[in-house]
């Protein structure tokens, strides 16, 4: 049950909604914000409150490229087969790279903790490959996972909060267990917007009390977006092969957009939420993030599965595949009917221009573009979404903490008290106003909650995505994921201006981001989303789009963007 949210702030009017999203509760607007031209540069972390990277990021010498830059899972398996690489050698190189550019050099600060057993795990997988052959495409592949995903090993799981430091999860989350079963090397945990960006309506995405501030690898003074900021920045910076993020509303697709990745938020129930620090059981899910759509598909095949501890994964309608790569088709745009959600445009002129150019490109590739194909209920479920998240946060977090055991905090109230007693470490920049609102809510049997949840599903599903898909006989809906990364501002918080994650997030439906292009040297993503369990169709379309545009560029770790 859990996942991330985004920069947040939402309410019925657009300004208050943008504010709420900024913090991480929803993601519609917080999904990818526009850079505030001319605003102040990133405010450095204070000297004592958090273990943030030292000031003065340096530029890496790019005369010497990293050997594993932009390498794919297929590339690595071929290198394993030829003897060019082993899982051990790969893991060593990534660990050295993390030290070189994440903890030193430009100090991206995307990795909150390295797995102390990573090399031993890699050695064991190399032996197994030699004796029995590979388990599958992920055998020996180093991946990073978000620090709200339980691992029953020597690593911590804290959601970036000091309140959970010192306690360990008793066992792997289902997703972590699935990755290990597939033969992946869990290289470490990534930093995130603390508590998946749900603590406050005034937060700075990518900052946590435990981990400090994560920087965007394209321009170090810009934001990597939340809450899966560390996974987004780390995968983009080539610190691993692929990674896992989580989303409540926007927290997979927004950091994927801001960091130039492909990232998929699955249908709620395709991937188990058990063992993930939660926000909302009706919207939470983890999702794969990688530099290519094919690697996203490979990772999704390993992550998906029925879990007795997560009833949503037993949905009779769910359609799971062990191999999502079989749906990838370079000609997948041909004949695809795509509906343009114009209500998600208009927050950035340059983004609109780019999207319109790409719609023409997709049309030339054979797609049928229905423009507009607007969701009539956009903006009508903002208040009810917030109500649902506030109720479910309180209930779901308490249930998780009881199951986990060992931590000094047992409830949201305990976490609130901990933060008050440790204000210098936990609240040097923003408070916990959303936590306080959630704590005031009653049980999940309360009529306000029951009505809000029903309204959410009615407006986002029957009168929302399903209605538009049926009306225009669409394969998918398309919209800009968000705008170029905004300047990080620890004083004022996030500067989110627009995005498109909300409808799919509230509905619990799938949404995939693909890099669409670059504006001012910063990546911008495009989203394809649709009805429940449509992952095969979305992957087919996204892969075809990726092959058509090939827009991904590796980051340059610039101190700033001159505009």
């Amino acid at each position: 049950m859990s996942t991330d949210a985004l920069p947040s702030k939402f309410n019925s009017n657009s300004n208050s909604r943008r504010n709420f999203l900024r913090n991480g509760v929803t993601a519609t607007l917080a999904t990818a914000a526009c850079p505030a031209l001319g605003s102040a540069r990133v405010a450095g972390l204070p000297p004592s409150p958090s273990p943030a990277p030292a000031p003065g990021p340096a530029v890496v010498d790019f005369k010497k490229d990293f050997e594993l830059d932009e390498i794919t899972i297929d590339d690595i398996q071929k290198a394993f087969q030829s003897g060019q690489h082993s899982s051990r050698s790969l893991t060593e190189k990534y660990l050295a790279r993390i030290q070189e550019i994440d903890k030193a050099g430009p100090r991206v600060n995307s990795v909150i903790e390295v797995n102390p057993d990573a090399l031993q795990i890699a050695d064991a997988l190399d032996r197994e490959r030699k004796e029995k052959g590979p388990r599958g495409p992920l055998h020996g592949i180093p991946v990073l996972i978000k620090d709200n995903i339980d691992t029953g090993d020597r690593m911590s799981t804290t959601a970036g909060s000091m309140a959970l430091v010192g306690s360990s999860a008793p066992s792997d989350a289902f997703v972590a267990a699935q990755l290990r079963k597939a033969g992946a090397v869990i290289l470490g945990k990534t930093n995130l917007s603390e508590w998946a960006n749900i603590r406050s309506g005034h937060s700075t995405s990518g900052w946590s009390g435990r981990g400090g501030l994560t920087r965007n690898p394209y321009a170090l003074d810009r934001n990597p977006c939340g809450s899966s900021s560390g996974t987004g920045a780390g995968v983009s910076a080539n610190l691993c092969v692929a990674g896992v993020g989580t989303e409540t509303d926007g927290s997979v697709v927004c950091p994927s957009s801001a960091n130039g990745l492909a990232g998929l938020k699955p249908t709620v129930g395709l991937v188990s939420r058990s063992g993930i620090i939660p926000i909302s059981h009706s919207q939470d899910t983890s999702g794969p993030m990688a530099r290519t759509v094919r690697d996203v598909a490979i990772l999704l095949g390993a992550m998906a599965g029925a879990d007795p501890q997560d009833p949503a994964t037993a949905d009779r309608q769910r359609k799971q595949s062990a191999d999502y790569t079989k749906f990838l088709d370079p000609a997948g745009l041909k004949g695809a009917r795509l509906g343009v959600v114009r209500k998600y445009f208009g927050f950035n002129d340059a983004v609109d221009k780019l999207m319109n150019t790409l719609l023409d490109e997709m049309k030339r590739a054979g797609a049928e573009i229905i423009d507009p194909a607007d969701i009539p209920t956009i903006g009508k479920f903002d208040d009810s979404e917030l109500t649902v998240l506030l109720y479910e946060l309180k209930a779901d977090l308490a249930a998780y903490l009881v199951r986990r055991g060992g931590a000094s905090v047992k409830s949201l109230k305990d976490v609130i008290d901990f933060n008050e007693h440790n204000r210098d470490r936990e609240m040097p920049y923003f408070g916990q106003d959303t936590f306080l609102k959630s704590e005031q809510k009653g049980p999940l049997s309360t009529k306000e909650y029951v009505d809000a949840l029903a309204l959410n599903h009615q407006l986002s599903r029957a009168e929302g995505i399903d209605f538009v898909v049926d009306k225009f006989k669409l394969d998918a809906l398309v919209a800009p994921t968000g705008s170029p990364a905004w300047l990080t501002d620890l004083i004022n918080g996030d500067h989110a201006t627009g995005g498109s994650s909300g409808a799919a997030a509230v509905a619990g439906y799938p949404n995939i981001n693909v890099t669409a292009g670059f504006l001012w040297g910063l990546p911008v993503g495009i989203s394809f989303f649709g009805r429940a369990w449509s992952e095969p169709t979305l992957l087919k379309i996204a892969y075809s789009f990726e092959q058509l545009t090939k827009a991904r560029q590796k980051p340059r770790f610039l101190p700033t963007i001159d505009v």
Side-chain angles (χ1 to χ4, degrees), residues 432-444:
Q432 52 183 343
D433 48 288
T434 308
F435 270 9
L436 293 171
K437 291 174 185 176
S438 177
E439 177 58 27
Q440 294 170 5
K441 297 300 182 183
L444 298 185

Side-chain angles (χ1 to χ4, degrees), residues 177-199:
Q178 288 286 92
L179 291 173
R180 294 192 205 272
K181 181 180 175 183
V185 178
I186 298 179
L187 192 63
K189 298 284 188 76
T190 56
N191 195 26
L192 69 160
S193 309
E194 187 176 309
W195 293 109
N197 222 356
I198 189 69
R199 199 185 82 192

Side-chain angles (χ1 to χ4, degrees), residues 33-285:
C34 226
L37 298 181
S39 62
R41 297 270 177 88
V42 56
L45 292 171
S48 60
S50 57
V59 179
V60 169
D61 180 5
F62 285 97
K63 293 179 182 178
K64 182 180 179 182
D65 289 338
F66 177 44
E67 179 185 356
L68 304 178
D69 271 347
E70 305 299 284
I71 198 167
T72 67
I73 292 173
D74 288 345
D75 292 336
I76 291 173
Q77 290 301 339
K78 290 175 185 175
F80 284 161
Q81 210 167 21
S82 69
Q84 178 186 357
H85 286 302
S86 64
S87 184
R88 169 84 185 207
S89 70
L90 237 68
T91 303
E92 287 177 334
K93 291 177 191 297
Y94 280 124
L95 290 173
R97 185 66 168 172
I98 289 169
Q99 184 58 42
E100 178 188 10
I101 70 168
D102 201 60
K103 303 308 172 193
R107 294 186 177 94
V108 176
N109 199 41
S110 64
V111 180
I112 201 168
E113 182 175 3
V114 167
N115 187 351
D117 301 315
L119 291 175
Q120 292 91 321
I121 293 169
D123 285 340
L125 288 165
D126 283 336
R127 288 193 297 270
E128 181 182 328
R129 176 186 292 272
K130 186 175 181 180
E131 295 168 4
K132 301 178 182 178
R135 300 181 192 181
L138 279 182
H139 190 114
I141 300 294
V143 300
L144 288 167
I145 67 175
K146 192 174 176 179
D147 183 42
N148 60 349
I149 301 173
D150 284 352
T151 53
D153 53 16
R154 291 198 287 163
M155 288 190 289
S156 300
T157 306
T158 68
S161 172
M162 299 300 294
L164 292 177
V165 170
S167 70
S168 300
S171 59
D172 280 348
F174 184 85
V175 166
Q178 288 286 92
L179 291 173
R180 294 192 205 272
K181 181 180 175 183
V185 178
I186 298 179
L187 192 63
K189 298 284 188 76
T190 56
N191 195 26
L192 69 160
S193 309
E194 187 176 309
W195 293 109
N197 222 356
I198 189 69
R199 199 185 82 192
S200 168
H202 310 281
S203 69
T204 294
S205 292
W207 183 89
S208 72
R210 180 188 174 210
L213 179 67
T214 296
R215 295 184 169 99
N216 189 305
Y218 289 91
L220 299 168
D221 60 351
R222 290 189 179 260
N223 199 272
C225 196
S227 66
S228 303
S229 48
T231 304
V235 174
S236 185
N238 287 281
L239 303 183
C240 61
V241 184
V244 178
T246 66
E247 176 166 325
T248 303
D249 188 335
S251 291
V252 165
V253 295
C254 178
S256 294
S257 175
N259 294 282
L261 301 178
L264 172 67
K265 183 207 78 92
T267 305
V268 171
L270 182 62
V271 177
S272 171
R273 288 84 49 85
S274 66
I276 302 177
I277 298 174
I279 290 176
S280 160
H281 62 265
S282 63
Q283 293 184 204
D284 285 352
T285 182

Side-chain angles (χ1 to χ4, degrees), residues 160-474:
S161 172
M162 299 300 294
L164 292 177
V165 170
S167 70
S168 300
S171 59
D172 280 348
F174 184 85
V175 166
Q178 288 286 92
L179 291 173
R180 294 192 205 272
K181 181 180 175 183
V185 178
I186 298 179
L187 192 63
K189 298 284 188 76
T190 56
N191 195 26
L192 69 160
S193 309
E194 187 176 309
W195 293 109
N197 222 356
I198 189 69
R199 199 185 82 192
S200 168
H202 310 281
S203 69
T204 294
S205 292
W207 183 89
S208 72
R210 180 188 174 210
L213 179 67
T214 296
R215 295 184 169 99
N216 189 305
Y218 289 91
L220 299 168
D221 60 351
R222 290 189 179 260
N223 199 272
C225 196
S227 66
S228 303
S229 48
T231 304
V235 174
S236 185
N238 287 281
L239 303 183
C240 61
V241 184
V244 178
T246 66
E247 176 166 325
T248 303
D249 188 335
S251 291
V252 165
V253 295
C254 178
S256 294
S257 175
N259 294 282
L261 301 178
L264 172 67
K265 183 207 78 92
T267 305
V268 171
L270 182 62
V271 177
S272 171
R273 288 84 49 85
S274 66
I276 302 177
I277 298 174
I279 290 176
S280 160
H281 62 265
S282 63
Q283 293 184 204
D284 285 352
T285 182
S286 61
M289 300 167 67
R291 293 180 292 271
T292 68
V293 173
R294 181 172 176 83
D295 283 357
V296 162
I298 292 171
L299 202 58
L300 180 64
M303 292 168 62
D307 176 12
Q309 295 186 57
D310 185 353
T313 63
D315 191 320
R316 293 179 183 177
Q317 297 182 50
R318 70 192 297 274
K319 299 174 183 178
Q320 176 197 341
S321 175
D323 179 14
Y324 283 92
T325 64
K326 66 185 180 183
F327 302 111
L328 305 180
D329 180 0
L333 282 168
K334 189 174 183 179
R337 287 179 60 84
L338 304 178
V340 181
V341 187
R342 283 287 167 185
K343 286 188 176 182
Y344 281 139
F345 285 64
F347 55 84
N348 183 298
D349 290 344
V351 171
D352 283 358
K353 183 178 180 180
L354 173 62
M355 292 296 137
N356 289 332
T357 299
L358 292 170
L359 289 170
D360 289 340
E361 289 287 326
M362 289 188 276
K363 191 181 296 184
R364 283 191 283 273
E368 297 180 62
I369 305 296
I370 293 80
D371 185 5
D374 273 322
I375 299 171
T377 53
I378 287 176
K380 296 181 180 179
F381 45 77
D382 294 352
D383 289 345
S384 56
E385 179 184 12
L386 174 56
T387 297
V388 167
L389 297 186
L390 293 177
Y391 273 96
E392 292 187 356
L393 169 64
K394 180 181 179 180
D396 293 355
L397 182 58
Y400 166 84
L401 291 171
V402 167
R403 286 193 303 272
R404 172 164 165 167
S408 60
V409 290
K410 307 294 183 186
S411 66
L412 178 59
K413 179 62 164 57
D414 289 347
V415 176
I416 290 170
D417 291 344
F418 177 92
N419 292 339
E420 286 295 340
H421 294 145
N422 296 272
R423 293 187 68 88
D424 59 333
R425 294 295 303 273
E426 281 294 342
M427 298 193 289
Y429 306 113
F430 55 89
Q432 52 183 343
D433 48 288
T434 308
F435 270 9
L436 293 171
K437 291 174 185 176
S438 177
E439 177 58 27
Q440 294 170 5
K441 297 300 182 183
L444 298 185
S445 57
T446 305
K447 186 177 187 300
E448 181 188 37
Y449 165 75
V450 174
D451 290 348
L453 182 61
L455 183 64
N456 271 358
H457 290 166
Q458 180 69 20
L459 294 178
S460 65
R461 296 176 181 177
E463 297 178 18
I465 292 175
D466 292 338
F467 169 79
V468 177
V469 168
D470 289 341
K471 178 181 178 180
F472 295 106
K473 297 180 174 55
L474 301 174

